[in-house]
């Protein structure tokens, strides 16, 4: 893996910058690990390192302090990876019409009716006050405030009574068998 990246960069640079070639031979494995930590797979890491080393090679004459090359190449790796990430393709295409939805598998109507009947029998077993609040909240779809106003109680009373009623419904043996 490293040999491929090193040999490509080294052979390309021997004619003009022998110091670049020796730098890549010496620091290639370390830089490869850095590139690998920035990508999701080894092939992308090789491409990333090769691109960063190409940028470094092109700027070799302008780099004043060759003792800080690792920092320069690491910055090139990060900048290149950021540019790649920003340029990634988005696989979304606008359409004039929405696609048809796939129909969800429908449950057996007889089973649905049996479950509704079991639920209603369980609601009828609740104390009168809790039953009224559950019916208003969930069957009539009123808010807690509306339910409280209609029954002449506080919102907190509605919340606590409905909570206790739902707990009883969860523990109802007929409903646990139906589910």
């Amino acid at each position: 893996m490293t040999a491929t990246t090193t040999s490509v960069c080294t052979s390309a640079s021997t004619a003009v910058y022998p110091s670049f070639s020796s730098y890549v031979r010496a620091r290639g494995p370390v830089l490869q690990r850095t590139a690998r930590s920035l990508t999701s797979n080894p092939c992308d890491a090789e491409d990333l390192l090769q691109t960063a080393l190409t940028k470094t090679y092109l700027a070799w004459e302008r780099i004043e302090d060759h003792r800080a090359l690792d920092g320069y190449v690491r910055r090139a790796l990060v900048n290149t990876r950021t540019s790649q990430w920003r340029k990634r393709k988005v696989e979304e295409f606008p359409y004039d019409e929405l696609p048809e939805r796939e129909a969800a598998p429908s449950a057996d109507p007889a089973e649905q009716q049996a479950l509704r009947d079991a639920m209603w029998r369980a609601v009828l077993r609740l104390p009168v006050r809790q039953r009224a609040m559950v019916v208003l909240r969930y069957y009539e779809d009123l808010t807690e405030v509306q339910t409280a106003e209609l029954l002449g109680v506080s919102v907190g009373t509605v919340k606590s009574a409905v909570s206790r009623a739902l707990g009883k419904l969860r523990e109802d043996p007929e409903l646990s068998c139906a589910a």
Side-chain angles (χ1 to χ4, degrees):
M1 181 165 60
T2 303
T4 304
T5 303
T6 304
S7 64
V8 169
C9 293
T10 304
S11 63
S13 64
T14 53
V16 180
Y17 303 118
S19 58
F20 178 78
S21 176
S22 60
Y23 170 76
V24 171
R25 266 194 301 278
R27 301 300 294 163
V30 173
L31 297 171
Q32 181 67 34
R33 282 194 301 271
T34 303
R36 180 66 178 100
S37 69
L38 294 171
T39 62
S40 59
N41 67 51
C43 294
D44 288 343
E46 287 180 14
D47 291 344
L48 177 64
L49 179 59
Q50 192 168 28
T51 302
L53 287 174
T54 301
K55 289 178 181 181
T56 305
Y57 178 78
L58 293 174
W60 193 255
E61 290 178 335
R62 293 189 314 255
I63 300 172
E64 295 174 11
D65 186 6
H66 282 240
R67 292 173 296 175
L69 281 172
D70 281 355
Y72 184 91
V73 175
R74 283 191 182 103
R75 176 50 51 195
L77 284 168
V78 170
N79 291 346
T80 302
R81 183 64 185 143
T82 302
S83 295
Q84 290 171 347
W85 176 79
R86 287 180 179 156
K87 291 178 185 177
R88 73 175 189 250
K89 291 184 179 181
V90 177
E91 298 296 327
E92 293 182 14
F93 304 100
Y95 287 99
D96 291 333
E97 295 179 25
L98 292 175
E100 294 293 325
R101 287 186 161 204
E102 292 181 23
S106 60
D108 182 19
E111 289 179 11
Q112 288 178 337
Q113 186 60 46
L115 182 58
R116 278 193 292 273
D117 291 344
M119 180 59 126
W120 188 245
R121 284 191 301 273
V123 168
L124 290 175
R125 286 191 290 274
L126 291 173
V128 176
R129 185 174 173 170
Q130 288 180 0
R131 183 182 333 138
M133 291 182 191
V134 166
V135 168
L136 291 173
R137 284 285 292 127
Y138 297 104
Y139 284 89
E140 297 296 324
D141 203 27
L142 297 181
T143 65
E144 291 167 342
V145 173
Q146 292 169 329
T147 303
E149 288 175 2
L150 192 63
L151 296 175
V153 296
S154 70
V155 175
T157 301
V158 172
K159 288 180 180 181
S160 62
V162 168
S163 176
R164 283 192 301 276
L166 292 177
K168 288 180 183 179
L169 291 174
R170 283 187 200 100
E171 295 170 359
D172 190 282
E174 188 177 355
L175 291 178
S176 62
C177 292

